[in-house]
Amino acid sequence: MIVDCAIYRDGHRTESPQDFSDALAEARARGDSFLWIGLYEPTEREFDLVTEEFGLHPLAVEDALKAHQRPKLDVYEDSLFVVLKPVTYEPEHDTVTAGELMVFLGDSFVVTVRHGAASPLAGIRRLLEQRHDMLRHGPTGVLYAITDAVVDHYLEVAAELTGDLEELEGEVFSPTGGSGYTASRIYGFKRQVMEFRRATVPLSMPLTRLAGLGPFVESVPFVREQSRPFFRDVNDHLMRVNESVEGLDRLVSDILSAHLAQMSVRQNDDMRKISAWAAMAAIPTMIAGIYGMNFQHMPELHWLWSYPAVIAVMGFLEVVLYRTFKRRGWM
């Protein structure tokens, strides 16, 4: 459905149009106006009207309706199609949830399509309506504000994940070595990092094109040439986010390896203790087994001190074994 629709003239919001075609023709004729339509999870029938009026490419329309896209930038004859994945962090459950935000950019119009709850569009629109200098840049200013808000929120989520990782480190390297659920927590955290990485890493290529960096020296259609420094700033922030994501991914893998190594060492210690106690139990068992064979010709059976002597020998051997194992750290 259409969440918001307005004409922006010379950086100021004006009336909501009754007819998209007439509003778009007027905006193009004036040169200082553009039309911004915001939709939330539209159906195919609801999106048909926007598609016909703005001449959106059918492939981009299909992507916008079905969602589940990677961040990307596609250039078509009459429009520019940008896919972003805003994310939210839920500290109660330590989970990262990604939404989808599609932006159609063309001559004097912007169409935004939102899927999922994670979207900063409402706040961006209110902020832009207070910054008339930004709105005067037209659709380019809207695209910059959206990408900047999404990437800046990535930085906040990366900081939250870093804090969770420090808690996991403290748990793994504590004297107890963590609980039985530590491995599952580490694996769950790694999945959250992977979900975050799916949103941030593919966005590097679209921002590089918008910033005109590397091999992408040609300007992107429907985006003003003067906006490249602003997109370079957003790209710098994204590079910081991706570096944080790479570091989180490596660290969580190292923590998982360290936890598994600690579990293996702890199991080896337990096996040594069990083996030591089994060896100590084998001494009296062996001696008792020998004297339980009922042989007739065993001279020590007729000695007066044979029973106390056997008990003393067993006790002496037990003490020797205990001190030996204790010295080696097996007990």
Side-chain angles (χ1 to χ4, degrees):
M1 61 180 181
I2 296 179
V3 178
D4 200 353
C5 177
I7 298 174
Y8 294 89
R9 186 173 297 123
D10 192 28
H12 295 79
R13 178 171 180 147
T14 61
E15 74 282 354
S16 298
Q18 300 297 324
D19 183 271
F20 294 157
S21 180
D22 293 342
L24 183 61
E26 181 183 355
R28 288 173 174 172
R30 289 181 59 93
D32 62 347
S33 307
F34 70 95
L35 179 64
W36 183 359
I37 302 176
L39 301 100
Y40 175 71
E41 295 184 357
T43 63
E44 186 174 354
R45 180 176 298 179
E46 292 171 340
F47 206 55
D48 282 343
L49 177 61
V50 178
T51 302
E52 294 173 0
E53 295 294 341
F54 297 100
L56 305 180
H57 197 278
L59 291 178
V61 171
E62 182 181 0
D63 290 343
L65 290 173
K66 292 184 177 180
H68 304 293
Q69 304 294 318
R70 284 166 52 91
K72 63 179 181 178
L73 185 152
D74 292 334
V75 178
Y76 298 102
E77 183 178 355
D78 297 323
S79 63
L80 190 70
F81 181 58
V82 181
V83 179
L84 303 168
K85 293 183 76 70
V87 298
T88 56
Y89 178 78
E90 300 177 8
E92 296 83 5
H93 306 287
D94 296 335
T95 56
V96 174
T97 305
E100 289 196 41
L101 180 58
M102 289 82 167
V103 182
F104 292 89
L105 208 71
D107 183 10
S108 301
F109 73 86
V110 178
V111 177
T112 54
V113 182
R114 178 166 60 93
H115 291 269
S119 176
L121 272 183
I124 293 174
R125 189 185 282 262
R126 288 194 299 268
L127 180 63
L128 280 175
E129 289 175 357
Q130 298 173 2
R131 297 188 58 184
H132 307 300
D133 57 332
M134 184 71 70
L135 281 175
R136 287 191 179 94
H137 292 282
T140 302
V142 175
L143 180 61
Y144 163 71
I146 292 174
T147 55
D148 185 54
V150 169
V151 173
D152 283 348
H153 192 61
Y154 286 166
L155 291 170
E156 299 176 8
V157 174
E160 295 283 353
L161 290 175
T162 301
D164 287 347
L165 183 62
E166 291 175 355
E167 292 181 5
L168 274 178
E169 285 181 326
E171 181 177 341
V172 169
F173 295 107
S174 64
T176 59
S179 62
Y181 299 98
T182 302
S184 61
R185 284 193 60 197
I186 296 174
Y187 181 74
F189 183 83
K190 190 173 182 63
R191 288 189 63 86
Q192 302 311 313
V193 173
M194 184 180 298
E195 182 73 17
F196 189 36
R197 187 173 184 175
R198 288 180 184 146
T200 63
V201 173
L203 187 58
S204 296
M205 186 64 70
L207 282 179
T208 301
R209 293 182 64 183
L210 291 172
L213 299 173
F216 306 104
V217 293
E218 296 182 359
S219 60
V220 178
F222 311 109
V223 177
R224 295 186 178 183
E225 188 77 18
Q226 297 85 352
S227 65
R228 283 189 171 187
F230 297 94
F231 285 110
R232 287 171 189 163
D233 181 67
V234 179
N235 188 58
D236 289 340
H237 293 176
L238 182 64
M239 290 176 63
R240 287 172 51 195
V241 172
N242 286 333
E243 289 173 358
S244 298
V245 171
E246 293 293 336
L248 287 171
D249 190 51
R250 288 195 301 268
L251 282 175
V252 74
S253 298
D254 293 341
I255 290 175
L256 181 59
S257 300
H259 177 67
L260 295 177
Q262 284 185 334
M263 294 292 291
S264 178
V265 170
R266 194 175 298 116
Q267 290 176 353
N268 290 336
D269 290 340
D270 293 340
M271 288 301 299
R272 283 199 297 265
K273 292 178 180 179
I274 294 172
S275 300
W277 284 110
M280 292 178 63
I283 295 296
T285 302
M286 181 188 65
I287 295 176
I290 292 174
Y291 285 97
M293 294 181 183
N294 297 321
F295 289 122
Q296 293 182 358
H297 303 288
M298 298 182 71
E300 61 272 19
L301 295 179
H302 304 286
W303 294 348
L304 178 62
W305 300 101
S306 59
Y307 178 76
V310 171
I311 296 299
V313 169
M314 287 193 292
F316 173 75
L317 293 176
E318 292 293 312
V319 171
V320 171
L321 286 177
Y322 178 80
R323 297 190 65 178
T324 301
F325 291 143
K326 190 72 173 178
R327 191 183 309 115
R328 295 184 177 180
W330 284 31
M331 300 187 70

